[in-house]
């Protein structure tokens, strides 16, 4: 088990190099494109199996202990080490990353087979696509596994280039502008974050996260911590994203291909909030206490802002894009995660970690579903999907719509399984009790009800009330989407049958079923996840106060 974590992190990089090499003649299958996509499924599947084996071998009796560790000196002059390890905080995020990447690779492979008779789209070959997905997976896994500040920064930055090219080369309309906006925002935030990480490492004499979290370092005075939290927090807030540093996200999601949106929402956004929990809470607790009320204030503004933006997009006649709406909903959901972190209490931080996992499962499913709907109809415009209009035709960009498609809703009648899954994702996203989305938001609110002793309880009660109102707004826009897209008026075809869409294909069902099952499992059995995170959170917060 000692080197299994290192293999999980490095494996996708090796697979990315192999993806760019010519396939052996016996493995090419029907086409080179099919071979390289199958290679992506194989590598990501192997990484997922290794992650599951790692989770099964994890010592669940001591989830606060760093396990499967690797500690090798890398730059002795700066005391930078290749230090890897997992605990109850990072293990769920590691498995989530491996699962979503595998499902994206599986979806891409079978989708290519399903559309093999269609004309090949212009653009780069699948070799580059698979290699970028694998590099993205390796960087994300490394972010959750490394225990050195400089390695964390390198892994944090490693995911930017592959995501940029996924958007710029495989995205839809406005893809070039959206990709540039994504990388400029995140790179500028990362430059400031690097200064904060260097400040901590140089003043304490070490970049090791475990040592920084458990030992007292005289060089980390309150003023140093305040500066470090401000610098590092800006970089993490951009990646989360926190209002008002969020504006790159809706553009990136709207332009990204389906699997790019799934990975961006499902795992990349978690890197920012994970940094708050892993680095700032235990290493700079005095600085965090100074900024916690401001973080909470930005979080609740983000919750309300994201919900109001979604309501505006869901309004009939607004020409709202469904992918853009889900992107704005992520701003609100990640606001609950930031609110939980800002409470600096075990309940709030556990809620933040639970909400992270729930958001990855639910929003990943929603982006899969919207991508499938756009493939079938040629549009993700809510007005086109929800209201028959003789002068409106679906967009011809992207996948061509079937000849039989007409604008109009009643997805339940046209593709009942697809409509049912979309409704499931919507009610899970609004926090229906019994599904995963409920527990994270509720625990974040409970944490705000009783924040850490040093924080102002009246202020946090105000934040809790505003965030609770945000849950009502979330329910409102999600139910409007379900009513308009799934239950809207059917096309009046007279004696003719209402045109139908292709319902869920087998490969889509295989890709989406794990997300549905885990959303239900986490909702009905939250102790499975909280049993992992709570002991680790308790120790992390205690270490920060020592």
């Amino acid at each position: 088990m000692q080197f299994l974590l290192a293999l999980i992190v490095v494996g996708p990089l090796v697979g990315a190099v192999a993806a760019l090499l010519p396939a052996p003649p016996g493995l090419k299958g029907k086409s080179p494109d099919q071979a390289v996509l199958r290679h992506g499924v194989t590598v990501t599947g192997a990484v997922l199996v290794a992650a599951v084996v790692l989770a099964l071998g994890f010592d669940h009796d001591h989830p606060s202990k760093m396990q499967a560790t690797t500690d090798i000196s890398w730059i002795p002059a700066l005391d930078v080490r290749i230090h890897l390890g997992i605990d109850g905080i990072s293990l769920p995020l590691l498995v989530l990353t491996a699962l979503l990447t595998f499902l994206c690779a599986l979806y891409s492979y079978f989708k290519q087979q399903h559309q093999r008779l269609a004309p090949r789209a212009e653009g780069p070959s699948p070799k580059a696509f698979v290699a970028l997905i694998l590099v993205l997976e390796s960087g994300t896994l490394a972010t959750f596994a490394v225990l050195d500040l400089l390695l964390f920064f390198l892994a944090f930055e490693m995911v930017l280039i592959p995501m940029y090219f996924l958007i710029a080369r495989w995205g839809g309309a406005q893809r070039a502008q959206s990709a540039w906006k994504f990388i400029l925002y995140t790179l500028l935030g990362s430059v400031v974050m690097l200064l904060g990480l260097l400040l901590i490492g140089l003043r304490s004499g070490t970049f090791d996260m475990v040592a920084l979290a458990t030992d007292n370092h005289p060089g980390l005075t309150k003023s140093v911590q305040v500066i470090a939290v401000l610098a590092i927090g800006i970089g993490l807030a951009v990646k989360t994203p926190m209002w008002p540093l969020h504006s790159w996200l809706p553009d990136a999601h709207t332009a990204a291909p389906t699997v790019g949106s799934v990975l961006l929402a499902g795992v990349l956004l978690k890197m920012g909030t994970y940094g708050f929990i892993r680095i700032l809470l235990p290493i700079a607790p005095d600085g965090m206490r100074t900024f916690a009320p401001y973080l909470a204030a930005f979080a609740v503004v983000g919750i309300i802002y994201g919900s109001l933006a979604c309501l505006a997009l869901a309004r009939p006649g607004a020409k709202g894009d469904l992918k853009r709406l889900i992107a704005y909903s992520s701003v609100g959901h990640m606001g609950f995660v930031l609110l939980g972190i800002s409470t600096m209490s075990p309940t709030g931080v556990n809620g933040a970690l639970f909400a992270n996992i729930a958001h990855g499962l639910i929003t990943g499913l929603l982006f899969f579903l919207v991508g499938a709907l756009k493939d079938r109809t040629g549009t993700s415009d809510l007005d086109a999907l929800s209201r028959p209009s003789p002068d409106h035709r679906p967009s011809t960009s992207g996948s061509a719509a079937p000849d039989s498609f007409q604008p109009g809703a009643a997805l339940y009648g046209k593709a009942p399984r697809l409509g049912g899954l979309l409704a499931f994702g919507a009610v899970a996203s609004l926090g229906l009790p019994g599904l995963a989305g409920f527990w994270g938001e509720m625990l974040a609110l409970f944490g705000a009800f009783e924040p850490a002793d040093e924080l102002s309880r009246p202020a946090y009660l105000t934040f809790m009330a505003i965030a609770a109102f945000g849950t009502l707004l979330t329910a409102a826009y999600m139910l409007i989407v379900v009513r308009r897209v799934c239950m809207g008026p059917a096309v009046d075809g007279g004696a003719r049958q209402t045109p139908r869409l292709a319902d869920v294909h087998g490969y889509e069902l295989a890709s989406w079923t794990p997300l549905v099952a885990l959303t239900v499992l986490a909702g009905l059995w939250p102790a499975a996840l909280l049993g992992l995170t709570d002991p680790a959170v308790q120790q992390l917060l205690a270490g920060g106060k020592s």
Side-chain angles (χ1 to χ4, degrees):
M1 296 292 292
Q2 181 179 0
F3 298 106
L4 184 57
L5 180 60
L7 291 174
I8 289 172
V9 171
V10 176
L13 275 182
V14 177
V17 174
L20 297 175
L21 300 175
L27 298 179
K28 286 186 178 180
K30 296 180 180 179
S31 72
D33 291 353
Q34 187 183 29
V36 74
L37 289 169
R38 186 170 60 244
H39 169 78
V41 175
T42 303
V43 174
T44 56
V47 171
L48 176 59
V49 170
V52 171
V53 170
L54 185 66
L56 293 175
F58 187 80
D59 185 357
H60 292 264
D61 293 329
H62 301 91
S64 60
K65 177 185 175 183
M66 285 295 171
Q67 302 179 34
T69 56
T70 299
D71 193 359
I72 303 170
S73 178
W74 185 34
I75 307 176
L78 296 176
D79 193 28
V80 177
R81 310 181 67 82
I82 300 176
H83 191 184
L84 307 177
I86 54 165
D87 62 358
I89 292 172
S90 52
L91 179 62
L93 291 167
L94 191 92
V95 176
L96 176 67
T97 300
L99 173 65
L100 283 178
T101 312
F102 170 70
L103 295 180
C104 286
L106 189 72
Y107 179 83
S108 300
Y109 171 69
F110 283 107
K111 182 180 177 182
Q112 189 266 351
Q113 279 198 316
H114 184 76
Q115 298 177 341
R116 63 185 180 274
L117 298 179
R120 182 174 173 176
E122 296 182 3
S125 73
K127 280 179 175 284
F129 178 82
V130 171
L132 290 171
I133 291 290
L134 293 175
V135 172
L136 185 69
E137 179 181 30
S138 181
T140 311
L141 292 170
T143 301
F144 300 135
V146 297
L147 298 173
D148 183 275
L149 291 179
L150 290 186
L151 280 183
F152 175 86
F153 176 77
L154 293 176
F156 199 83
E157 298 305 291
M158 182 177 169
V159 303
L160 300 185
I161 300 303
M163 182 54 70
Y164 167 81
F165 281 110
L166 284 174
I167 297 173
R169 303 300 296 275
W170 284 271
Q174 306 291 319
R175 60 181 181 268
Q177 298 93 318
S178 300
W180 274 111
K181 192 172 184 179
F182 161 75
I183 202 158
L184 287 176
Y185 261 80
T186 48
L187 277 179
L188 289 174
S190 297
V191 169
V192 182
M193 183 177 75
L194 177 60
L195 297 177
L197 295 175
L198 290 174
L199 177 63
I200 287 179
L202 296 176
R203 292 302 297 265
S204 64
T206 181
F207 289 96
D208 188 270
M209 294 185 193
V210 177
L212 286 165
T214 56
D215 301 336
N216 289 318
H217 296 275
L220 296 181
T221 61
K222 183 175 181 179
S223 59
V224 171
Q225 290 187 30
V226 168
I227 296 171
V229 168
L230 179 61
I232 298 171
I234 289 173
L236 298 175
V238 171
K239 186 66 73 74
T240 297
M242 180 185 77
W243 180 92
L245 303 173
H246 69 283
S247 61
W248 61 269
L249 182 70
D251 292 338
H253 270 308
T254 304
T258 297
V259 296
S261 291
V262 171
L263 294 175
L264 179 58
V267 294
L268 263 67
L269 301 189
K270 313 303 175 283
M271 295 164 64
T273 52
Y274 175 77
F276 276 104
I277 295 171
R278 176 64 73 196
I279 298 174
L280 296 185
L281 281 179
I283 296 175
D286 293 334
M288 273 297 292
R289 276 189 283 272
T290 300
F291 283 106
Y294 303 101
L295 180 63
F298 283 123
V300 297
V301 170
I303 292 170
I304 301 300
Y305 172 84
S307 298
L308 291 177
C310 290
L311 280 170
L313 290 170
R315 180 173 53 87
K319 298 188 181 299
D321 186 277
L322 191 50
K323 286 188 73 176
R324 196 173 188 86
L325 184 147
I326 297 172
Y328 271 111
S329 77
S330 293
V331 177
H333 289 306
M334 298 312 289
F336 280 99
V337 177
L338 291 172
L339 177 62
I341 293 170
S342 73
T343 67
M344 299 184 69
S345 68
T347 302
V349 176
N350 275 303
L353 290 168
F354 201 105
N356 258 344
I357 300 299
H359 179 265
L361 295 172
I362 296 168
T363 310
L365 175 64
L366 284 172
F367 276 118
F368 268 134
L369 292 168
V370 175
L373 190 58
K374 187 172 183 178
D375 287 340
R376 287 158 169 76
T377 64
T379 184
S380 55
D381 181 84
L382 270 170
D383 288 337
L385 293 171
S386 62
R387 179 177 295 172
S389 172
D391 60 351
H392 186 90
R393 292 293 180 268
S395 169
T396 56
S397 61
S399 302
D403 293 337
S404 62
F405 175 75
Q406 299 177 27
L411 191 58
Y412 288 153
K414 293 181 176 182
R417 288 186 294 176
L418 186 61
L421 284 170
L422 183 61
F424 172 85
V427 297
S429 183
L430 64 84
L432 184 73
L435 299 176
F438 171 77
W439 294 105
E441 295 181 0
M442 198 54 55
L443 288 172
L445 294 175
F446 286 155
F449 182 77
E450 188 124 12
D453 295 337
E454 300 85 353
L455 302 176
S456 169
R457 190 165 185 238
Y460 273 84
L461 288 176
T462 304
F463 297 145
M464 182 192 73
I466 296 172
F469 178 67
T471 62
L472 301 179
L473 296 178
T474 303
Y477 69 74
M478 279 299 179
L479 292 177
I480 289 173
V481 168
V482 171
R483 179 176 61 82
R484 294 189 66 195
V485 177
C486 299
M487 304 167 64
V491 176
D492 185 7
R496 296 179 303 169
Q497 270 192 323
T498 299
R500 297 180 66 88
L501 299 177
D503 213 337
V504 178
H505 301 298
Y507 73 92
E508 293 172 330
L509 193 63
S511 301
W512 303 340
T513 297
L515 301 179
V516 174
L518 289 173
T519 298
V520 175
L521 179 64
L524 296 178
W525 190 26
L529 182 55
L530 293 173
L532 275 176
T533 62
D534 185 55
V537 167
Q538 297 278 359
Q539 178 167 305
L540 178 137
L541 294 176
K545 295 176 182 178
S546 60

